[in-house]
Amino acid sequence: MSSGILILSLLSVGFWILVFTLHRLRFKLTLVPLYGLIAALVAYTHILSSFGASVTQGNLFFLVSSTAYFTSLLLGILLIYLFDGVEAARKGLEILVMVSFLQIIVVYTLHLIDPGHTFIPSTIENFKNYFWSITAMVADVVFMVIMWEWLSKIRHFTNYLKVPLLIFLVLTLDAFIFVSGVFAGTGNYLEILKSDIIVRFFLATIMGTVIAAYLTNSKYSEKERDKPRKVWDILDFRSALVRKVKSLEEIIRERQILEKKLRANSNDLAQAKAQSEAVLASIAEGLVVVASNGKFLFFNEQAKEILGLGPQKVVVTLWPKVYGMYYLNQEKVMSINDFQSLHALRGHSVMGEKIRIKNENIKSFKTIKINASPIKIASNIMGAAFTFTDITKEQEIEKAKDEFLSMASHELRTPLAAIDGIVAMIRDGEYGKISDEVRGGLDDVNTASENLIRLVNDLLSVSRIEAGRLKYNLSDFDINSVIKQVVDLYTPLATEQGLKLDITEVPKVIVQADQDKVNQIITNLISNSLKFTEKGKIIISVKHNGDYLDVSVSDTGRGIAKKDCPKLFGKFQQVGAESRKGSGLGLFIAKQMALKMGGDLILKSSRIGKGSVFALSLPKEGTDPAVRARREIEKEASLHPDQKSDNIEKK
Amino acid sequence: MAKLLLVDDDPLLVRMYQKKLENDGYEIQTADDGDVALQKVDLFKPDLVLLDIMMPKINGYEVLKKLKANQKTKKIPVILLTNVGSSDSDIEKGMDLGAVAYLVKAGNRPSVVVSKVKEILGGYVREVPKVKAKIKA
């Protein structure tokens, strides 16, 4: 009766445990469970054989069979390791340990129930025992898994500790059995153990702990389930290998494609590089590219030649001293502070800086023009590009032009001065008394010579203006003084013609201009007015006009027809029926000069028969137009440093 | 009877100025190049030198330098005569070298030159022209 109850309780417990376990495992298993089954089978066989024999053969047999049993199971572990790796082998080992452990439990249990029983189902009567032992074996397996789970839950134990712990427990039990058997003598040691309360207590503790642990362990087993496990991997091994090889082939193929692409790209890159190098090598200018950190990125052959470097020389600086860069107008080597082009490295374009160069490879001075531009990427200064152009030839031509103009001025003026001077002297009787008739003739000669001088001056001015070579000496002065000067000069002539010259002044106003040229312009305007006015007066007035000062010359003269207005400031324009003395260049020159100084000269108004008003505007000192004009003039002056000065006014 | 030395390589102009100056009562000697001029300064000991700038061999600036370097001649006032334009730098150069005035021949008739000479001999005032208009006067 008692055996029946025990069997049923074991069966029910076993059944529940089995259900939980299978639920958890869901057939995603490694070899380990299979191993477990085999191990259990072997254990069972061992149990059968050992107990069948132990009655007759005793403890020695038990020990030997146990050893054989363990060895075969350990071989099983080795197989697992070969197929599934370390983790699975570890688990297998643990299962082995648990199998052994359970085996002991089963043995005790059986003998508690049926001591002396042989377990061989020879008859149908024994079948129920056989069935019972199968169940016990299954329970064995289940128990092992549960034990594993339980031990896994104990976080303080790593895998490595769990295994020794189990082994220790098993060995302890084994030792216990063995020792007690020895003490019990032959055969009936189990009889003694049957009544041993320690065994029963031990059994109950184990079972109870296991069940409790499993029930609380379900969380952990959930985690375990998520890890994918392969079933019957021995069959998958080959396909896995094939798959691996396939993916390797895939990888190799992709790699080959990438390599091809890379080669193509580097070919394209090399081609593009060769192209841009060819382009850079073909330009006539020297090109130097410097990064903002001072590193030289590019230095073409032309640059080396222009700067007089040997082809081998490596360039690391753009310091004037290194190359023998001199100022244009001094025999001094340029100091680096004056080398404006370097400002490109700070983001400022510097165009057209001219330097002279002389060094060991350039024996006589060459003139070089430098353009420097900053290189910006998304408004960050990455460096600068410098171009060098040899303009020695151009400079020589320019110099020749200047010299020609100077020479022309000189050669033309010398005889004119002689004619003018001597005629004046003759008229004044310096060469002896002359008759009135002679004087009259000389007057005409004088007029003609004055005209000629004026014409020559005008022509020279025009040619200078056209060549951009008219030199301007800007200064800040009071306009009234210049007006007064001209008016004073022309008052006698005006009075002679019966005309009045009036000035309306404003209190001292300082303008920025070339005083001589302003004089010339006002002279031109007044003399024009005198030319074309029969009677009345000529008024010169000065007015403020924002940044400018307006000088208006208004007369009560003939006036200018509408149709003639557009041509007024053109070259060689004479307006009016008679062309009196005058080159027709006066207004052209005057307007060009006014414009250059930052102002203008316009015909403000004119009415036939009533008169005309001309207005000259000049920038006041320090104003924006004044500054601009000054900058323009300075720029132009720097292009022609040897420029001789302007024309000479003949009084 | 003040003595003037006229240095110019153009014979026409030389004759012209000489006529005028002699008519106005000056004793004139002429030189057509720098070397001759320096010799004549030594011999003639003029009260004033009218010196052209554009001359072959040595130009007027060189002659001026030499005159001012020589103890015996450095007190003699020199008026620079030229026929090219008068840029500020040219004037400055001349004045820095010690000239007392700078006249442009083409812009000034001989009578003007004479007034200048008179002015300078009358009361030697070394003018340093700041404004170009002054020179024309």
Side-chain angles (χ1 to χ4, degrees):
Chain A
M1 196 62 198
S2 59
S3 60
I5 296 164
L6 195 56
I7 290 165
L8 275 171
S9 37
L10 269 173
L11 271 171
S12 55
V13 164
F15 176 73
W16 283 117
I17 287 166
L18 178 67
V19 165
F20 286 146
T21 311
L22 284 177
H23 169 76
R24 176 208 169 281
L25 292 175
R26 278 203 199 168
F27 306 107
K28 284 193 213 154
L29 306 168
T30 62
L31 274 177
V32 171
L34 177 65
Y35 174 76
L37 276 168
I38 295 169
L41 198 67
V42 171
Y44 173 64
T45 318
H46 170 70
I47 291 163
L48 286 177
S49 61
S50 67
F51 277 100
S54 68
V55 177
T56 52
Q57 276 152 352
N59 303 329
L60 185 63
F61 185 82
F62 186 75
L63 192 64
V64 168
S65 60
S66 300
T67 316
Y69 155 73
F70 269 114
T71 314
S72 58
L73 289 178
L74 282 169
L75 280 171
I77 301 269
L78 192 64
L79 281 169
I80 297 177
Y81 173 68
L82 285 173
F83 281 106
D84 277 333
V86 175
E87 268 302 314
R90 204 182 294 131
K91 285 207 174 177
L93 189 65
E94 288 172 21
I95 286 172
L96 165 64
V97 162
M98 283 200 284
V99 163
S100 317
F101 190 55
L102 266 174
Q103 179 205 320
I104 308 302
I105 304 299
V106 164
V107 166
Y108 284 144
T109 316
L110 283 177
H111 279 278
L112 280 171
I113 300 161
D114 267 323
H117 196 75
T118 56
F119 303 121
I120 297 163
S122 51
T123 62
I124 199 84
E125 220 174 70
N126 294 333
F127 183 74
K128 57 178 185 206
N129 296 325
Y130 183 72
F131 181 75
W132 183 89
S133 57
I134 299 277
T135 316
M137 181 189 72
V138 170
D140 196 356
V141 174
V142 165
F143 178 74
M144 280 184 292
V145 175
I146 294 161
M147 278 298 283
W148 162 248
E149 289 298 311
W150 177 57
L151 286 170
S152 300
K153 200 193 177 211
I154 303 167
R155 279 190 205 110
H156 298 296
F157 291 109
T158 63
N159 283 342
Y160 295 102
L161 280 177
K162 277 179 221 166
V163 172
L165 178 72
L166 279 172
I167 293 173
F168 175 76
L169 284 170
V170 164
L171 287 177
T172 315
L173 281 170
D174 253 354
F176 188 84
I177 298 162
F178 188 67
V179 164
S180 52
V182 167
F183 274 119
T186 57
N188 284 345
Y189 60 92
L190 288 167
E191 288 287 319
I192 297 160
L193 282 174
K194 184 179 79 170
S195 58
D196 194 347
I197 199 160
I198 298 164
V199 176
R200 286 196 200 118
F201 177 75
F202 188 75
L203 187 67
T205 315
I206 295 289
M207 293 299 250
T209 318
V210 158
I211 292 161
Y214 186 75
L215 288 174
T216 56
N217 201 29
S218 44
K219 247 197 220 166
Y220 186 79
S221 46
E222 287 293 328
K223 268 194 225 164
E224 281 288 297
R225 200 187 312 167
D226 291 333
K227 286 203 200 132
R229 296 184 196 193
K230 294 165 282 185
V231 187
W232 309 114
D233 249 7
I234 215 173
L235 296 173
D236 275 347
F237 182 71
R238 188 182 158 280
S239 57
L241 197 66
V242 170
R243 250 179 289 134
K244 272 230 158 66
V245 169
K246 271 220 177 93
S247 62
L248 269 171
E249 281 178 352
E250 187 71 41
I251 289 170
I252 290 172
R253 226 178 298 134
E254 274 179 22
R255 173 115 182 244
Q256 282 174 335
I257 292 169
L258 277 172
E259 277 182 1
K260 225 188 264 175
K261 273 197 195 149
L262 196 68
R263 242 176 286 133
N265 276 345
S266 33
N267 276 344
D268 285 340
L269 205 66
Q271 212 174 358
K273 186 170 181 226
Q275 211 169 344
S276 58
E277 277 180 0
V279 167
L280 288 172
S282 69
I283 60 173
E285 286 83 12
L287 176 66
V288 176
V289 180
V290 185
S292 49
N293 62 8
K295 182 159 174 241
F296 275 68
L297 301 175
F298 185 78
F299 209 100
N300 71 354
E301 285 308 308
Q302 287 83 322
K304 286 196 186 159
E305 202 185 299
I306 288 172
L307 294 173
L309 299 169
Q312 310 307 324
K313 194 154 175 189
V314 172
V315 180
V316 291
T317 92
L318 264 182
W319 287 23
K321 212 165 44 174
V322 174
Y323 300 90
M325 289 186 190
Y326 289 72
Y327 295 100
L328 266 184
N329 301 315
Q330 299 172 50
E331 286 294 313
K332 242 187 352 177
V333 172
M334 194 179 253
S335 110
I336 194 168
N337 298 320
D338 291 331
F339 190 25
Q340 301 299 318
S341 298
L342 289 177
H343 286 279
L345 286 165
R346 272 186 233 134
H348 309 295
S349 271
V350 182
M351 294 289 159
E353 182 174 11
K354 288 190 194 165
I355 54 123
R356 286 189 305 165
I357 198 164
K358 187 162 80 166
N359 54 40
E360 63 225 0
N361 289 322
I362 301 173
K363 297 294 173 191
S364 57
F365 276 114
K366 261 204 262 181
T367 312
I368 313 282
K369 183 169 89 160
I370 307 173
N371 285 333
S373 320
I375 299 171
K376 291 188 189 166
I377 297 176
S379 73
N380 288 325
I381 301 166
M382 309 303 288
F386 301 84
T387 62
F388 299 90
T389 317
D390 188 340
I391 56 165
T392 317
K393 274 257 160 57
E394 283 95 314
Q395 286 287 94
E396 282 168 15
I397 291 169
E398 297 290 291
K399 198 165 169 207
K401 272 193 206 160
D402 284 334
E403 281 172 6
F404 170 77
L405 274 174
S406 299
M407 198 48 96
S409 317
H410 185 268
E411 294 303 307
L412 282 169
R413 284 182 180 140
T414 307
L416 285 172
I419 293 170
D420 186 70
I422 295 171
V423 163
M425 279 171 62
I426 298 172
R427 277 180 78 232
D428 293 342
E430 303 275 355
Y431 288 83
K433 201 157 163 27
I434 51 166
S435 68
D436 286 337
E437 279 165 57
V438 172
R439 185 170 291 112
L442 287 174
D443 280 342
D444 289 339
V445 172
N446 187 44
T447 308
S449 114
E450 279 180 354
N451 285 349
L452 189 58
I453 289 175
R454 212 170 292 128
L455 183 61
V456 165
N457 281 338
D458 286 350
L459 281 169
L460 285 168
S461 292
V462 170
S463 68
R464 282 221 171 81
I465 287 171
E466 303 272 89
R469 272 172 169 66
L470 201 58
K471 198 173 177 200
Y472 288 78
N473 293 309
L474 295 177
S475 62
D476 298 326
F477 59 94
D478 181 12
I479 192 87
N480 289 303
S481 64
V482 176
I483 298 170
K484 238 170 179 273
Q485 219 177 335
V486 181
V487 166
D488 285 344
L489 197 65
Y490 275 88
T491 306
L493 184 61
T495 327
E496 234 178 73
Q497 290 184 239
L499 301 166
K500 221 170 161 250
L501 275 176
D502 264 343
I503 313 177
T504 356
E505 271 183 48
V506 293
K508 179 165 162 179
V509 183
I510 309 292
V511 296
Q512 178 200 269
D514 180 324
Q515 204 163 334
D516 264 351
K517 292 184 177 59
V518 172
N519 190 307
Q520 197 175 331
I521 297 168
I522 297 174
T523 301
N524 185 270
L525 292 175
I526 291 175
S527 79
N528 279 348
S529 290
L530 284 171
K531 215 190 292 182
F532 292 101
T533 309
E534 300 288 312
K535 55 176 193 256
K537 53 182 175 193
I538 300 162
I539 306 171
I540 301 109
S541 52
V542 180
K543 272 192 274 274
H544 287 279
N545 185 3
D547 278 345
Y548 300 89
L549 195 75
D550 285 353
V551 179
S552 307
V553 176
S554 71
D555 61 41
T556 53
R558 202 183 299 168
I560 301 161
K562 263 251 166 68
K563 63 171 169 71
D564 294 326
C565 288
K567 298 182 283 175
L568 205 56
F569 294 97
K571 278 186 260 188
F572 296 108
Q573 294 304 321
Q574 287 266 24
V575 174
E578 352 156 2
S579 59
R580 306 221 210 143
K581 44 183 180 171
S583 58
L585 292 168
L587 281 175
F588 170 78
I589 293 170
K591 189 175 172 92
Q592 295 302 310
M593 294 201 292
L595 288 168
K596 200 65 185 208
M597 291 190 285
D600 200 0
L601 176 62
I602 56 167
L603 172 68
K604 215 154 167 207
S605 65
S606 186
R607 283 205 317 256
I608 304 284
K610 292 294 171 83
S612 323
V613 182
F614 282 84
L616 163 71
S617 38
L618 295 167
K620 293 185 194 160
E621 68 158 343
T623 55
D624 281 345
V627 171
R628 272 200 301 271
R630 183 178 279 278
R631 219 178 276 151
E632 269 301 308
I633 285 167
E634 278 172 1
K635 203 165 95 176
E636 209 178 73
S638 76
L639 296 173
H640 311 296
D642 303 323
Q643 182 56 51
K644 286 278 169 246
S645 78
D646 51 352
N647 59 316
I648 303 130
E649 242 327 281
K650 179 79 186 72
K651 298 275 192 313
Chain B
M1 189 70 60
K3 294 190 280 185
L4 306 177
L5 178 66
L6 196 51
V7 186
D8 198 314
D9 65 324
D10 188 314
L12 264 178
L13 294 175
V14 164
R15 273 207 299 277
M16 183 178 80
Y17 287 119
Q18 188 170 10
K19 185 101 180 113
K20 177 66 185 164
L21 291 164
E22 280 177 347
N23 279 358
D24 278 15
Y26 295 98
E27 192 185 324
I28 303 297
Q29 282 231 1
T30 66
D32 63 356
D33 79 51
D35 292 321
V36 176
L38 289 166
Q39 282 173 11
K40 291 218 171 159
V41 168
D42 261 339
L43 295 167
F44 184 50
K45 300 193 191 9
D47 298 307
L48 187 143
V49 176
L50 289 159
L51 179 58
D52 182 24
I53 295 177
M54 299 280 280
M55 287 192 293
K57 290 194 252 169
I58 345 174
N59 75 18
Y61 290 123
E62 293 298 305
V63 175
L64 180 58
K65 261 194 233 167
K66 288 213 165 98
L67 283 174
K68 292 302 166 184
N70 188 335
Q71 271 295 100
K72 284 189 272 184
T73 58
K74 77 173 185 183
K75 285 257 179 64
I76 305 173
V78 177
I79 297 177
L80 286 172
L81 288 173
T82 186
N83 224 357
V84 288
S86 45
S87 67
D88 280 339
S89 55
D90 292 335
I91 303 171
E92 254 180 61
K93 186 175 177 182
M95 302 315 283
D96 282 344
L97 288 171
V100 74
Y102 191 106
L103 288 174
V104 178
K105 283 181 271 190
N108 298 284
R109 285 185 172 151
S111 48
V112 177
V113 175
V114 169
S115 337
K116 197 62 162 185
V117 167
K118 282 200 179 131
E119 197 185 303
I120 292 186
L121 288 178
Y124 172 75
V125 172
R126 182 168 185 259
E127 29 168 302
V128 182
K130 291 248 162 49
V131 176
K132 278 184 69 187
K134 273 213 202 140
I135 303 169
K136 300 291 172 66

